[in-house]
Each structure stands twice: as C-alpha cells, then as structure tokens.
Amino acid sequence: MSEQTKSKPLIRLENVSKSYDGGKTYAIQNFNLTINQGDFVALLGPSGCGKSTTLMLLCGLYRPTEGNIYFGDRLVNNVEPKNRNIGMVFQSYALYPHLSVYENIAFPIRQQKGVPKNELDRRVREVAEMVKITELLDRMPGQLSGGQQQRVAMCRALVKNPNILLLDEPMSNLDARLKLEIRDEIKKLQADLGLTSIIVTHDQDEAMAISNKIAVIDDGIVQQYADPNSLYDMPKNLFVASFIGSPPMNFLEGEVEVFGDKVKFKNDQDDISLPLAMVDVDRLTSSKVTLGARPHHFIFYDDQDVPGNTVRVHVEYVEPLGKELLLKCHSGTTPVRILSPLTDREFEGKDIRVGLQRSMINIFDSETGENITIR
Amino acid sequence: MLIKKREDQVKGAWRYIFLLSIFSLIIVIPYAWLVARAFTTNTGEFTLSNWSFMWKETPYFRGLVLPVVWKSFGLSLLFASGTAILMLALTIPTAYAISRTKFPGRPLLTKLMIILDAFPTVALLIGFFYVLNAFGLMNSYFGVILIKVGMSLPGTIWLMKSFFDHVPWELEWAAIVDGATRFKTFTKIIIPVVKPGAAVILINSFLSGWGEYILLNLFIIGKSTTMSTFIGMTLNNEGKIAVPFGILAAASLLYVIPVVILFSISQKTLLSVQQGGIKN
Amino acid sequence: MKQPTIAEIDRKEDRKARRRSKRFPFMLMSPFFVLTGLFVIVPILIMFVMSFTDMGLTLEWNFIGFKTYARLFADPALKTIILRTFIFVILGTICSVLSSIFITVITTFYLDTIYRKENAGIIFRIIWLLPSLTPSVVYAFIWNYVFGPTDYHLMNIVRSWFGLEPITWFALYPQQILFLAVVITSASSSIILFSAAVRQIPLHIIQAARVDGASPLYICRKIVLPYLRWPITQKTLWSVLIYFCTYEIIFLLTKGGPAGKTTTFAYYVYQNAFNLKKFGMGAALAVVLVAMSALLGLLVLRVFKVNEQLQDPRMDI
C-alpha cells in the first residue's frame, strides 16, 4: 500500500453525541476522531467511558444523536450496518450456537445475494486457512475452547473482506498467555491485510502493544489521541497520565514560582528547579501544579554524594521483579513507586534522596489537569 | 467420625422421605386405586376385559355401546397438536416483538396482556357462541382451537418473552453486522437459540389441549368424541354412571399415560428452563 | 439520465430502512392482534352489550338498561356466594401455596441438595406434579370414585373395614372434597416454578453455610425461603386469580351443589348462562366478575412493575 493512500483519512467522527434517553444523559458527547487508512486504533478507557458506544456508532447499530460520521467522503450516519462493509468481533464472540463453525463463517456471505456455492466455499476455506482453524470447520461452537472461538469470530469478521475491522474487547475472556498469543496474531493479520482496524479495550498494555494509535477516552470525550509513545511520554492531562503506564506515573502535588530562567517546584518535602523553557507558565491558572514522573525516570545516587533537586522518599518495602526492583515509597503522604536497577544496596525502611530525569518529567496544572510541559 | 456423619445424613434423609410419603398418600392412593381398578373386576379379580374398548365396540348398559377408543384418542392427539402448533406460531413472533423491539404502545400492550391473562375465561364463553357462529365454526374443532389459543395466548406470550429477554444482544448485533435483516436475524439466529423455551411452550400447550374438556363440551354440541368427552359424558348424570367403573378407569388410564410419558421425557427441559413468566 | 449519487442512494435506503423497522414489530404481532381481537376482545364486547339485555332461551336482544344489574344486586343469594367465594379464594391460596412450599423445600432442598437423594426427590416431584398434568375429567373422575356413594367406592370400602355403613360423601362434605381437590391441583402447579427457584440458589452459598455449621433448617429459613420470596409472591397472586376464576372442576365434581353449597361466583356465572340459559343475567354477572378480577389484575400490575421488565432495544435498527 502506498504512503499516499495510507495517510488518507478513512473514518471521521465530527462532534458526535449519543444519548440513549432522549438527551438527559450522554454516553459520548462532542466526540471527534479521525482514523486514517491502514491505522490500527485502540479506543482505551475505563468501563462506561463511551468507547463501546463509539464502536456501535461506527458499525451502524446505533445512529448518532448529533454530529456526523464519515467513511471517506460518505456520510454514514444513517447507513445500515450491512451497507458499511465492516467486520466485527464481539467480546463474547457471539458465535451462533446452533450453526457449525463452517456455517458461522459462511453466514455473512450467505446474506449477500448471488454468491455461487463454490465461491462461498472457497472464501470460507481461505479465511479459515489464514487464521489456521481449517480442522475446526465441522465442529459446533460449544465444542471449542475460548481461543478457538475467538479465531472463529475473527474469520467470520474477515470473510466478507471488510474495509474496516472492529474489535470489541476481543481478548478479555482469554487467559493471560493466550491473550499474548492472539494479540500477536491479530497484529500480524492486520498488518498483512493492511486493514483499518479499531479495537476497544480497557487494558492499556494491550492497547500499547497492538495499535499504532490510541484514543484515550473518559467521560464520553477523547482525552488524547496519539501514537503509543507520545501518549506515554507526553500525556495530555492528568487522566491520561494516570491511566497509561504500569506501574502508574507518580504524582507530586506542589506549587511553582518563577525565578529568572528557572521555575521552582516546591512542596513540604522538596524543592526542585526546572528550566523555565520546560514549562508553559502562560497556561497556568494558579500556582498549584502536579509533577508527574514515571517509576523508571528517577536517578539514584550514592549516599554520600547527593546533589540538590532531589525528592526525599521513605522506602517501605522492595519488590524484586526479576530484572529490576520496585520500591514502594512515600513522599510525605503521597505514595511513590520507583523502579531501580538490580543492586545490593539495602533500601527497605530507609529514607533516600532520588533525583529526576528532568527531561522526562511532566508538569500538570492541578486545577485544569492539563499538561503544561514544553518539549 | 466421617462414617458416623454419613450415617447421620442417611438417617436424616429417611426422616424426610417418610414425612413426604405420608403427605403424598393423598395423591398416591387415588391414583393407585385408578390403576388397580383398571385391571380388576368389581369384586377384585384381575381382568383385562376393561380394556376391550381398545379393540372392539363394547356394549355396557341396556344396549348402549362404547365405540372403539382409537378414534377419540386420535382426535385428542390432533386437537392437542393443533393447539400447540398454533399457539407456538402466534406466541413466538409476538413475544419477540414485545421483548426486543420498541413501538408506540408497547407498555400499554404489555399491561393489557397481563390484564387479559388474569381475565376470567368463564366470562368469555357466552361471546364465543356468537363469534363461532359468525365464522361458521360452531361444532368445528378448528374453531375450538382458535378460541382456546386466543384465551391462553397472553400468558404464553409473557412466558416466552422472558426467554427472549435472556438471549444476549451480541448475537443479534453480530447477525445484523453480518448483513442479515432483523427479520432474518429473528428467524435464522434467535429462534434456534430459544428452542428450549419454545419446547416448554409447545409441551405446556399440548398438555393443555390434550386435557381440554369444557370448551369441547360446549362448542361441539353433543358431538364431540375426544378422549375428554368420551370420559366426561359418563360424569354428566350426577354421579349415576352407567359405564362400568373398570372400563372408565381403563379409559382414564389410557388418557393419562401419554401425558406422563411426555412429561417424563421432557421433565429435564421443563425443570431447567421453566423459570416462570415473571422474573424479578 | 442522471446517475443518483451515493448520498442520494443512502438517503433512499435509510428511508426504506426506517419504514421497515417501524413496520417490523407490527408485522410480527399482526396474527396475534387478529386472533385476540376476534376471539377475545369481540367476545368481551358481546358479553358487555348482552349484560344490558334480559336475553334468555329465545336469544332475543331485548335491551332493558341496568335492570339486570339491579336484579342481580337485589338477589340475596349473591351475597352468600360472594362471601363463600372469598373464603374459598383466601383459604385455598394459603393452603396450596404453603403445601407447595413444603413439598418443594423437602424435595428440592432437603432431598436433592442436602442429602443428595436426587432420585427420591424426582419421584416425589413427579407424584406431586401428577394432579396438574392429569386432564380435568380424569381428575374429577378419580375424586368422584374415591368419594362415591356405593360400597364399591374407596372411602366407603375403608369405612367397611371398621364395620361402618357406606355414606354419600358428596352430599355430606361437598365443600371439603372440592376444596381438597382444588388445593392439590393448585399446589401441584406451583412446584415446577418453586423447584426452579430453589435450583437457582448458587450451591456454594449453601455449602459455605454448611461449612460454617449452619443446620439445614437454619439454611432453609435464612437462605432458601428468601430466595423463594419472589416466586411465592408471584404464585400467590396468580393463585388468587385462578381460584377466583375456577369453574371447570366445580362443574365436573359437584355442579355447584348440593343446594348451591359449592357455587362460587365464577361457577354462578357459568350456571346462569349455560344451565339456566339466562344469558342476560349471566353476562351481567360476568361483567361483575371481570370488574373484580380486573381489580386483582391491577394489583398484579403494581407488584410486577411491568415497565421495568421492558428493556429498550439495544440498537437503533
């Protein structure tokens, strides 16, 4: 696929709102999202945030209350699902329990008129081959394991050569190991077919691993829409920052003051100065800010040689993770999690001072929650 | 210790079995009496002559003759099957519409169904005469099936609705996304999924049709020859029954046995899926 | 000729789809509407209109306004019948619901769950289901013969063992016999529902309670009965309605007699219309019966919160 078609917007949601109760409450409100041809987009958010509603709007099972949805230039607000050329995999897989695997996969084609029998058979077998379930074709869905059911659901979604593949929490019913396996398979399949895909998930690891763009959704609004790395490094606000990353980002509350070309972050415990160029002070609504630092963005010093600009933490206990250590600490009353390389040093029960990789930290306006860091 | 506990348990069980056995005598004795009398003479000797209506016309009282029973049996079978099939055919689409679609007047219709279900059927009987007459269905078994189904529909629809309520929406979504229309989704996907519920409706309606008496007695005037009227006609003269008791007991048994067989076959389905029309 | 654009086609398709989805429920329900309209609603209307006539054997529509109702309420017998009906309904409901709870708890809870004697449980359940499965004529026949008047009938045989003369049970104890027969069928018809409800109790709850040392009786009171609360409410209300409308078994067993001792309101309607051929009076009585059961029906509606049991479709197609 050429670069040109790849960057073409395929799906646009413009100020889309959906209410189920005639406007009293909204599942999503003023929702904007653009998805390019060939993208694998994850809609990530806590349960009830509106991500599934978005998917249902895209597949056409719901009509938007307000706003417009476009596939390319075509306004599809009121286009029926069957005319949208989409494939969809459901959380429970929704295999038709009374039909064999073969008939399950053939069902979408049987709904299209005038597909000859041998053509139908060829397409079913082709897609079964691709997902490697040829030997299951004669079974009934009830006889399949969770992973096999998932694969059959994939086949059923792919068999009609859809333009868009929608996946609604497709892996949430699988055990951890199978999840990783299926995740890789889906990613590979998507890349091979160059198929524009949208996955709904509440699992940030899954979203980070599988997609090339993530829309973090909360309260029916897209909080941030970016590729996984920028989402991780430069979360747009406190919600995204706290939602993405595991162990999660640490937050220290404090106030800022400007001193010449430096800004000083201060709280009861610590005093950290940062270059003024890093913080967009014009966007501050008050002096209250939140400093966010990921667990592995701390710097350890030898006991004797501690410079300024550090955070004092009390280490409660240490969890060895194999390749590194997770220190569970407190700064004042705020819990802080720090990842440290393996070391013989005794941490448990001690007060230590750790520095910050200043180029990696984020400053948020505590009032608005917006990230005001400049990079 | 472990053995002692087990003994305790067994003993406890027998206590309840004994208690329930006593309580159940009230049913067991009459039914056992029925079975016993079907195979004995008035004086208590074993005989199969009570069953002669199964193979020949049996004279029983002052030149009156009992017809061979199979015609009645077949007619009852036909009547019950007709009732069950028509009931199912009307219940399934209506229950689906109420459970799964939205239309103006849906709450009102649902309330009306419950009121109709609670409607005293005896109040409808007079009106049936006129309706059946108007359609020329007086003395027709088909006419009786129609009024029987009409009377029982609200209750069955309500029961069937609860089966549809339990079908996951994802199945319906999947079929629609796969390109099926709602009607096709209903016929090709949803109906096969609610088969156990449909079986419950079918069996219940069959049993109800099989046992129907009063409507047949009223609207097939003096001519009905189903199993129920075969037995019922002997009850009509104030207990002074001309047909010998042994023959009647045998006929009754013949009438009950299919029900018991059908129920035994289906009891697993019935017990596992019958959660009653209205769930909390 | 101009080719229609995709947008135009989509708009046309959408109009079609909306029309289709509007029609869809009515298409599904239309056979039901036709049948119920003709065979339920029309008879109701006929009955209502007829209640303003004094139609008798001649089948003439002779309208006399509210005179039938006036005559009806002036009838001193009616008060006795209504009172008798209420006693029948209330006592019958209590007895049948209590006995079906008793049977369900012993079969499905004690025998199946606690003592794991499922076979005994099944046998007792089938025994207790027999009455509701038995066709009404056979059921009536059985009781007719158990309590028949001659020395060949069961209860009189039992009497003869004690050297007692045969008696005419139906003349002496008509109400008791009828009551017994009705309570047993009614109890029988609740057992499936109650058993299903007991089966829905998660087994681990009962096991946990057993491990904690709770006695079966305690578990029954604190876990099983609360689980049965909803089915019991439901069945009690339905029993009231069913007792209220019972007439077939009365017709088969006692014909309301002797001397009207077993005539309930519903049977009174039947008797007036079909035995006495006083159709106008029968219809007026039926209207009163319908009014009373409609009050009960409204109560049912309140308890069952119908609107909460209607879920909105989870799609816009």
Side-chain angles (χ1 to χ4, degrees), chain B residues 87 145-154, chain C residues 32 35-36 39-40:
Chain B
M87 188 85 89
I145 289 180
L146 286 180
I147 57 179
K148 182 163 179 62
V149 171
M151 266 164 40
S152 347
L153 262 180
Chain C
F32 161 75
L35 192 82
T36 305
F39 290 93
V40 179

Side-chain angles (χ1 to χ4, degrees), chain B residues 76-92 145 148-149 153 156 198-210 262:
Chain B
S76 277
L77 209 60
L78 225 59
F79 180 80
S81 315
T83 307
I85 291 165
L86 186 65
M87 188 85 89
L88 200 65
L90 287 169
T91 300
I92 285 186
I145 289 180
K148 182 163 179 62
V149 171
L153 262 180
T156 10
V200 171
I201 304 283
L202 200 67
I203 292 166
N204 283 351
S205 321
F206 182 88
L207 291 181
S208 149
W210 181 255
L262 180 66

Side-chain angles (χ1 to χ4, degrees), chain C residues 153-201:
Chain C
H153 293 114
L154 185 64
M155 288 310 281
N156 282 337
I157 293 177
V158 174
R159 277 179 72 89
S160 72
W161 295 341
F162 300 98
L164 297 167
E165 287 295 303
I167 57 171
T168 48
W169 293 89
F170 270 104
L172 294 168
Y173 307 107
Q175 293 174 337
Q176 288 85 338
I177 295 171
L178 181 73
F179 189 75
L180 184 73
V182 178
V183 165
I184 288 173
T185 27
S186 170
S188 167
S189 67
S190 313
I191 286 172
I192 288 191
L193 177 71
F194 288 178
S195 294
V198 172
R199 271 148 198 259
Q200 279 185 347
I201 304 174

Side-chain angles (χ1 to χ4, degrees), chain A residues 56 90 92 96 98 111 160, chain B residues 170 173-175 177-178 188 192:
Chain A
M56 299 279 283
F90 292 90
S92 67
Y96 311 128
H98 59 292
Q111 306 315 310
K160 53 187 162 180
Chain B
E170 284 199 338
W173 291 341
V177 171
D178 282 347
K188 290 264 154 71

Side-chain angles (χ1 to χ4, degrees), chain A residues 18 20 56 60-63 74-75 78-83, chain C residues 6-7 10 13-14 17-18 20-21 312-317:
Chain A
K18 176 66 190 172
Y20 298 117
M56 299 279 283
L61 287 166
Y62 284 146
R63 297 171 198 268
R74 183 184 181 195
L75 177 69
N78 296 317
V79 174
E80 284 182 288
K82 64 171 177 184
N83 297 331
Chain C
I6 291 178
D10 282 348
E13 283 278 310
D14 180 42
R18 280 173 199 261
R20 208 184 316 127
S21 84
D312 271 348
R314 291 175 56 196
M315 57 183 184
D316 297 342
I317 302 298

